[in-house]
C-alpha cells in the first residue's frame, strides 16, 4: 500500500511523447527542424525513434511545464503532436527489433531538489 502513495507512483508519474514531421527541403526549414530537436534534447527529452522524443516526468505538474516549454518552441511549419501517458501505461509498451521483442528501458530515477 505504501508504494501507492510514494512520490514516484506509476499512476502519478508521466511520460511526455513528442511526435513530429517537419519539412527539411530548404536551408531555413532544416535549421528550424534542427533547432526544435535541439530544444527537446536540451529540455531532457531523449530520442525514442527518429521523429519521436520522450521524457519522464515525476508528476503531471512537471509534465505540464515541459509541454508548455515544447509548445513555446514549435516551428512555424510542419506537424507536431504531444501526448502524455502514465508510467504504468508506458510500461505496457511492447517493443520489437525486427521480429524479436526487446526489453523496455527502465527510467532513471531523477533527483529532485525541492
Amino acid at each position: 500500500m505504501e508504494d501507492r502513495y510514494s512520490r514516484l507512483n506509476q499512476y502519478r508519474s508521466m511520460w511526455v511523447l513528442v511526435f513530429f514531421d517537419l519539412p527539411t527541403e530548404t536551408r531555413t526549414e532544416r535549421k528550424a527542424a534542427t533547432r526544435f530537436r535541439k530544444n527537446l534534447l536540451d529540455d531532457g527529452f531523449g530520442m525514442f525513434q527518429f521523429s519521436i522524443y520522450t521524457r519522464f516526468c515525476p508528476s503531471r505538474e512537471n509534465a505540464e511545464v515541459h509541454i508548455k516549454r515544447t509548445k513555446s518552441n514549435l516551428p512555424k511549419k510542419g506537424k507536431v503532436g504531444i501526448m502524455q501517458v502514465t508510467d504504468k501505461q508506458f510500461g505496457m509498451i511492447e517493443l520489437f527489433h525486427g521480429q524479436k521483442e526487446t526489453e523496455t528501458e527502465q527510467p532513471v530515477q531523477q533527483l529532485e531538489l525541492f
Side-chain angles (χ1 to χ4, degrees):
M1 198 60 125
E2 183 177 314
D3 183 47
R4 195 168 126 199
Y5 297 105
S6 73
R7 212 149 178 243
L8 292 176
N9 183 303
Q10 301 180 70
Y11 297 97
R12 181 169 157 67
S13 303
M14 302 296 293
W15 283 88
V16 177
L17 291 83
V18 178
F19 313 91
F20 56 90
D21 186 13
L22 304 176
T24 56
E25 294 178 9
T26 67
R27 185 169 189 249
T28 305
E29 291 172 342
R30 283 191 298 276
K31 282 179 103 176
T34 300
R35 189 175 325 108
F36 182 70
R37 283 192 302 273
K38 185 179 179 314
N39 287 334
L40 287 173
L41 292 170
D42 289 346
D43 194 27
F45 284 82
M47 185 168 40
F48 185 76
Q49 287 187 353
F50 185 65
S51 293
I52 302 172
Y53 283 68
T54 60
R55 187 183 199 296
F56 177 78
C57 298
S59 67
R60 289 183 188 275
E61 296 81 14
N62 183 258
E64 287 300 324
V65 169
H66 295 287
I67 290 170
K68 184 177 179 183
R69 196 172 293 152
T70 300
K71 287 178 180 180
S72 71
N73 292 318
L74 291 174
K76 293 183 193 282
K77 296 181 180 179
K79 295 180 182 178
V80 177
I82 302 172
M83 181 171 72
Q84 299 178 66
V85 295
T86 65
D87 188 42
K88 181 72 172 177
Q89 291 168 323
F90 191 79
M92 293 187 293
I93 193 168
E94 293 183 65
L95 298 174
F96 296 88
H97 186 252
Q99 292 184 350
K100 184 179 177 186
E101 189 169 3
T102 60
E103 292 292 318
T104 57
E105 293 181 23
Q106 296 299 319
V108 179
Q109 187 169 353
Q110 189 172 352
L111 177 66
E112 287 189 66
L113 298 176
F114 39 98

